[in-house]
Amino acid sequence: MTSPRPIRFFHQGQLQSVSGLPPTTTVLQYLREHARCAGTKEGCAEGDCGACTVLVGELDAEGQAVELRNVNACIQFLPMLDGKALLTVEDLGHSADLNPVQQALVDCHGSQCGFCTPGFAMTMQAIYERHQACGTRPERQALADDLAGNLCRCTGYRPILDAGERMFDAPVRILDRAPLVEALRVLAEDPPLHYEAPSRAGSTQRVFAPRTIDEFAALRESMPQARLVAGATDVGLWVNKQQRELGDVILTGRVEELRRIDIIATRDADGGGSNGNGTTLRIGASVTLEDAWSALTARVPALRELWLRFASPPVRHAGTLGGNIANGSPIGDGAPALIALGARIVLRRGASQRTLPLEAFYLDYMKNALEPGEFVEALEVPTPPPGTRLRGYKLAKRYDSDISAVCAVLSLRLEDGVVRDARFAFGGMAAIVKRAAKAEAAVTGRAWDEAASIAAAAALKEDFKPMTDLRASASYRERTAANLIRRFWLETRANAPLPAGSTSIWQAVNLQRSVA
């Protein structure tokens, strides 16, 4: 175990060294209360409104360039910044020398009260930097998707989207990344973080950030009661909203082996060897949600809309797939997709590994199969076999950046029009994400026709007895879940399948515009 040291990161043009602050001090609190950078605002303190958006930079795998991502400062703990670069609205420009993003917001009247504007500017800067690096220019809908994590309650989004298009008209002016690269290389020479300071309650709290999988496994085994923290997109709310104490913390985000995506031979059903039927995507537990969903949708394009509607870009840039799965929320959107794809979860304690079908990992409400000292190492997702038809659906009160009332990912494998395998995974319908066993049985071994879809929808009443809560009533969940099976059949039937675009509100809006 390394000796305690300060938290070190790059901010405001120089290396910062912080000690003595409670480990659950958020990046937002540090900026406003200690760094005196008040441009970053607090709107919700739960990663929903985007007023606190900042950019966090890390070196790429080759150590040659800096990758910048927009995240919510209100739910990022300060120790998570160790070894990274932090950019805020103060780094963009000033009144006498506005950069293209700021000037476009001024020219297009993209600000009214101005409270949300710094967050919008930082997200737009991330968009600007990404597209300038690629020599591309985003479509208006792509801008809207990227801005889904930033809310405005007075200006309205039209002038902000106008500014998003206008900023590419100005002469190119990107951020100077050379100082970031130099600083991050210096920080990379620091030993792994071991930070100690009084917690908010006054007791000593420790934070560890090991960098190798063996170090992480050994530390976890020796500290089974420590809190594992990946992106803090959920744990951050425990602290901010529930005033919970976390105790000792082990960060997962610096373990390179947990941040990898690999392609491996598909395992047999018993977990060993290759069956020769294809390849498997192995996603490390600390791969960000954005990178994990990008890899998944590259193989399964039908999941793209579910990816875009999974939380918001700032949350997806910080949160991890392993954390989302280990959290085990019955309304989480990751588990239905992975279960429908036949994913397996790799668990590790010390040097020992075991692998389970993902649906076997969930035991009851917020209870899973993890044993003391064990952690999620990876998710293994096989490539869907030929003949697979799959769709993902999300029902929520808001289209963007909202938690599901019902999430369904439905998959069928057909041979000569007959269902040979069915995997219907639902979130929001029970205490855990689970498969609809009766509905699957109702279609397996028969032709995939309207009668089969009706039988599957009827069988859902035997599979689930959903609850009524603030997101939806039980009757709404029952009816819409059945309707989703109907929609699935309409979109995957052999004759005249319904195009996915015909059920999209955005397609309908674009059609109306073209007619007008």
Side-chain angles (χ1 to χ4, degrees):
M1 189 175 293
T2 57
S3 299
R5 68 167 177 85
I7 303 165
R8 284 173 30 95
F9 56 94
F10 183 78
H11 177 231
Q12 289 287 283
Q14 59 186 349
L15 293 176
Q16 307 289 337
S17 182
V18 178
S19 58
L21 294 180
T24 52
T25 299
T26 65
V27 174
L28 177 60
Q29 290 166 338
Y30 168 78
L31 287 171
R32 296 186 61 83
E33 300 171 14
H34 302 280
R36 298 296 185 263
C37 292
T40 307
K41 309 301 183 186
E42 178 178 320
C44 65
E46 58 186 46
D48 194 34
C49 74
C52 69
T53 304
V54 297
L55 300 186
V56 172
E58 294 185 74
L59 287 176
D60 62 12
E62 290 73 32
Q64 302 299 315
V66 177
E67 296 177 344
L68 294 173
R69 290 197 166 182
N70 52 310
V71 301
N72 297 302
C74 68
I75 50 174
Q76 292 284 291
F77 299 132
L78 196 59
M80 298 168 65
L81 270 186
D82 187 70
K84 301 178 184 179
L86 173 65
L87 300 178
T88 65
V89 69
E90 288 86 356
D91 294 296
L92 299 190
H94 51 81
S95 58
D97 185 27
L98 299 180
N99 81 350
V101 170
Q102 296 167 312
Q103 190 64 57
L105 283 167
V106 171
D107 293 342
C108 296
H109 306 285
S111 179
Q112 189 167 318
C113 82
F115 195 85
C116 67
T117 305
F120 271 101
M122 296 310 293
T123 293
M124 291 168 67
Q125 187 70 42
I127 298 169
Y128 182 82
E129 295 280 330
R130 185 174 74 247
H131 283 279
Q132 293 293 7
C134 300
T136 56
R137 183 167 178 155
E139 297 291 335
R140 194 175 179 91
Q141 183 56 51
L143 284 169
D145 292 336
D146 282 337
L147 287 166
N150 293 84
L151 304 183
C152 175
R153 289 297 181 240
C154 56
T155 305
Y157 299 102
R158 181 194 56 75
I160 297 172
L161 291 173
D162 289 345
E165 294 179 318
R166 177 78 64 86
M167 65 187 181
F168 289 96
D169 293 336
V172 176
R173 180 178 164 185
I174 60 175
L175 296 172
D176 182 7
R177 302 196 187 195
L180 304 184
V181 172
E182 181 180 354
L184 291 174
R185 287 174 177 169
V186 171
L187 292 171
E189 299 300 319
D190 288 349
L193 179 65
H194 171 187
Y195 179 71
E196 294 187 10
S199 70
R200 295 180 180 184
S203 60
T204 299
Q205 185 178 9
R206 300 179 296 173
V207 179
F208 301 91
R211 294 180 184 169
T212 71
I213 189 67
D214 291 336
E215 291 172 353
F216 182 88
L219 186 63
R220 179 57 172 164
E221 191 171 26
S222 67
M223 300 176 63
Q225 301 306 315
R227 176 68 59 187
L228 297 186
V229 176
T233 54
D234 191 42
V235 175
L237 275 69
W238 299 358
V239 175
N240 290 349
K241 300 300 184 180
Q242 301 174 15
Q243 306 302 309
R244 288 171 60 174
E245 289 290 321
L246 299 183
D248 290 334
V249 169
I250 303 175
L251 300 177
T252 71
R254 299 309 299 272
V255 182
E256 287 303 319
E257 293 94 330
L258 296 179
R259 301 175 65 180
R260 290 173 46 184
I261 298 177
D262 297 304
I263 298 176
I264 62 175
T266 297
R267 292 177 181 268
D268 292 327
D270 62 2
S274 170
N275 62 18
N277 290 334
T279 57
T280 290
L281 203 61
R282 189 180 196 275
I283 303 173
S286 289
V287 173
T288 65
L289 288 164
E290 186 74 3
D291 291 343
W293 278 92
S294 177
L296 284 171
T297 55
R299 292 187 160 215
V300 190
L303 291 176
R304 186 175 185 276
E305 182 172 322
L306 196 58
W307 169 27
L308 292 177
R309 297 188 62 196
F310 190 115
S312 67
V315 169
R316 296 198 302 264
H317 293 160
T320 65
L321 186 62
N324 177 257
I325 295 303
N327 175 283
S329 169
I331 48 176
D333 295 338
L338 295 183
I339 288 174
L341 288 168
R344 300 177 67 83
I345 188 168
V346 181
L347 307 178
R348 176 166 173 169
R349 181 171 59 186
S352 301
Q353 283 184 342
R354 64 187 179 113
T355 304
L356 299 173
L358 181 54
E359 59 261 41
F361 180 66
Y362 300 117
L363 306 179
D364 202 346
Y365 178 71
M366 302 305 285
K367 293 183 180 179
N368 58 46
L370 279 173
E371 298 176 353
E374 197 171 38
F375 62 93
V376 178
E377 183 174 4
L379 283 306
E380 296 181 348
V381 190
T383 302
T388 299
R389 299 181 184 182
L390 182 143
R391 294 291 188 277
Y393 306 114
K394 174 170 179 165
L395 303 179
K397 290 185 176 181
R398 291 195 314 236
Y399 183 85
D400 286 318
S401 191
D402 200 5
I403 296 173
S404 292
V406 175
C407 180
V409 183
L410 312 176
S411 175
L412 293 173
R413 181 172 61 86
L414 301 179
E415 292 181 2
D416 299 323
V418 175
V419 178
R420 297 305 180 193
D421 181 55
R423 300 181 71 90
F424 296 164
F426 284 85
M429 297 290 288
I432 59 174
V433 175
K434 61 181 292 188
R435 292 171 63 180
K438 298 290 187 181
E440 293 174 355
V443 300
T444 303
R446 61 185 295 180
W448 180 231
D449 54 21
E450 186 172 14
S453 70
I454 292 172
L460 284 179
K461 293 184 178 181
E462 299 180 59
D463 284 310
F464 301 114
K465 301 297 180 185
M467 66 181 291
T468 294
D469 60 16
L470 63 103
R471 304 197 185 282
S473 67
S475 61
Y476 174 86
R477 287 184 160 111
E478 288 178 347
R479 183 172 182 178
T480 55
N483 287 346
L484 290 177
I485 289 183
R486 168 78 174 176
R487 176 177 169 182
F488 180 51
W489 174 71
L490 289 171
E491 291 182 359
T492 60
R493 61 189 176 183
N495 297 320
L498 190 68
S502 64
T503 61
S504 167
I505 186 174
W506 308 116
Q507 294 280 350
V509 168
N510 290 335
L511 180 60
Q512 289 178 344
R513 286 175 177 169
S514 64
V515 171

